[in-house]
Amino acid sequence: MKKTGIFYHDVCGKEAYSSLAMGVEAGFKSIEKEGLYSYPNVKWFESQPATEEQIARLHSRKWIEEVKRTQWWRVSLYSVGGMIGATEKVLTGEIDNALVIAGVGGHHAHRDNAWGGCYFSVIGLGIPHARAKSLGKRFAIVDTDTHHADGVRDLFQNDEDVLHICFCDSFSGVYGAEDRLESQTKFCFPHGYSDEEELRNVAREVPARIREFQPEMIYWLMGMDTHLDSYGTAALTEKAYPRLARIVKKAADECCGGKLIVKTCCNAPPHAANYVIPRIVDRLAELGKYPEE
Ligand SMILES: [Zn+2]
Ligand SMILES: [Zn+2]
C-alpha cells in the first residue's frame, strides 16, 4: 500500500470558483463519508496558503496585485499552497503520492494574465518550488482536462526539463496549431469521445513518453469537465476517471518510484465527484476497496 496525502482547505470548498468548480467540497467530504481515513495510509493535510514569494516565481508582481483585488485571491493562495505542500511531501518521501483538491483551475494562467477560472499556475508553481528546495528538477505534467493548457504551455515552453502532455479539444476553435507550441517535450493530443476512446488515447500517448523522459515526479491534472454532466467534451462517465488513474499511476510506479500528484478542482457536479474522488484515493493508496468497473 502507498502513503497518500489529501491536500485541501475549507476555503477551497467554500470559496471555489463555483461556476466551474462544482463538486469541490462534496468531493473532499466524500473521502470521509466513505471511511477512507480509517486506513492508516490515507491522511488529510490541511492546505496552507502559498506566499507571494512562491507565486512570484512564475507570475508578475502586477498580476499578483491584480488578483489580490478579486474575490479569488484567498482560494487561489490555498489552492497553490496545497500543491506546494504536496510537492514537498512527495519529493521528500514523507508520502508516496497525493491528491490536491483545489478551488480554482490553473492551467490557463500565464505570467501576467489568466482566464477560465484560473488565476495562478497551480501545478506549475510546484515545479520552481521543488527546484528552489533542490528536491527535483525534471517533471512531467499530464493534462486530461477538456481544454488546452495554454498557460502551462506558455510558462514552460522553453523548459526542456518539463514534459507536457496535454489532451485538448481541438474543436474548441480557440487554439490553432501555432498556439499549441509543440516541441520534443510539449505535446497535444485529441480527447476521446467515449470512455474507451479516451482511455485508449491516454494509454497510447502517456506511458511510453514518460518512460522515455524519465521525470522525477508526475503531475496529473484530472480535469473533470470531460464528464457527461459537465461543460467540456461531455463525453466520459464517472467510471473513466479511476481507470485513467490506473494508467497514470502505473507509469509513475514504473518510472519515478510512484511519485505522483493528482490535481483536481472537481469541475463536474457533486454526484460525479462523490463517485470519482474516493476511487482516486483508492487507486493512489492501493486500498482495493472498490473493484474496477
Ligand atoms: Zn477545462
Ligand atoms: Zn493542448
Side-chain angles (χ1 to χ4, degrees):
M1 290 212 289
K2 292 265 198 294
K3 280 190 209 162
T4 297
I6 318 297
F7 292 77
Y8 173 85
H9 191 286
D10 214 28
V11 164
C12 293
K14 296 273 193 301
E15 298 179 18
Y17 188 91
S18 56
S19 58
L20 301 184
M22 298 167 252
V24 177
E25 193 176 17
F28 174 70
K29 287 194 167 156
S30 68
I31 300 169
E32 188 166 26
K33 258 187 225 144
E34 292 285 309
L36 301 189
Y37 294 121
S38 65
Y39 293 86
N41 57 322
V42 177
K43 191 173 168 196
W44 169 36
F45 296 92
E46 190 169 50
S47 299
Q48 300 297 303
T51 66
E52 286 187 46
E53 290 312 308
Q54 289 168 341
I55 290 172
R57 287 171 176 148
L58 289 181
H59 297 282
S60 68
R61 291 285 174 185
K62 186 172 160 283
W63 178 241
I64 292 172
E65 291 307 317
E66 220 168 294
V67 177
K68 208 181 275 183
R69 291 193 293 269
T70 72
Q71 71 185 103
W72 313 112
W73 170 246
R74 233 162 59 108
V75 63
S76 294
L77 292 188
Y78 281 97
S79 298
V80 172
M83 182 56 67
I84 284 176
T87 295
E88 231 178 280
K89 287 203 191 310
V90 173
L91 287 171
T92 56
E94 186 178 332
I95 53 177
D96 295 302
N97 53 36
L99 172 65
V100 178
I101 303 176
V104 284
H107 71 165
H108 303 309
H110 299 251
R111 183 172 162 76
D112 300 294
N113 58 76
W115 66 284
C118 302
Y119 303 93
F120 301 124
S121 190
V122 177
I123 286 180
L125 284 162
I127 291 175
H129 183 75
R131 289 172 177 167
K133 294 235 158 188
S134 302
L135 294 172
K137 178 171 174 241
R138 218 169 145 77
F139 299 94
I141 302 174
V142 177
D143 185 325
T144 57
D145 183 273
T146 293
H147 305 96
H148 177 60
D150 56 304
V152 173
R153 185 59 56 92
D154 177 24
L155 289 166
F156 293 98
Q157 61 173 300
N158 298 316
D159 189 333
E160 294 301 307
D161 286 314
V162 174
L163 171 67
H164 188 218
I165 307 176
C166 168
F167 291 82
C168 45
D169 185 359
S170 49
F171 307 110
S172 69
V174 179
Y175 295 100
E178 67 281 6
D179 298 310
R180 292 195 211 119
L181 302 168
E182 293 189 84
S183 70
Q184 293 304 347
T185 55
K186 311 288 181 280
F187 302 91
C188 288
F189 299 107
H191 277 289
Y193 282 82
S194 66
D195 287 4
E196 294 308 324
E197 195 190 358
E198 180 85 338
L199 284 153
R200 242 189 344 262
N201 289 1
V202 171
R204 185 177 59 233
E205 307 300 352
V206 173
R209 283 190 173 75
I210 296 214
R211 216 173 296 128
E212 191 189 335
F213 184 80
Q214 291 290 321
E216 287 155 271
M217 183 165 75
I218 302 171
Y219 291 99
W220 173 31
L221 173 54
M222 187 186 71
M224 290 173 64
D225 56 2
T226 45
H227 187 268
L228 283 170
D229 299 329
S230 190
Y231 51 80
T233 58
L236 305 187
T237 73
E238 49 271 24
K239 292 177 182 166
Y241 302 91
R243 294 175 69 193
L244 286 169
R246 220 182 257 301
I247 298 171
V248 180
K249 179 172 176 295
K250 187 159 180 275
D253 287 344
E254 287 172 0
C255 303
C256 46
K259 293 187 170 64
L260 168 64
I261 296 179
V262 183
K263 186 257 177 181
T264 188
C265 70
C266 297
N267 43 358
H271 76 86
N274 287 341
Y275 177 92
V276 173
I277 298 302
R279 283 164 179 79
I280 297 299
V281 175
D282 177 272
R283 297 300 184 265
L284 288 175
E286 303 172 354
L287 304 178
K289 180 179 162 80
Y290 307 100
E292 190 90 52
E293 289 185 87

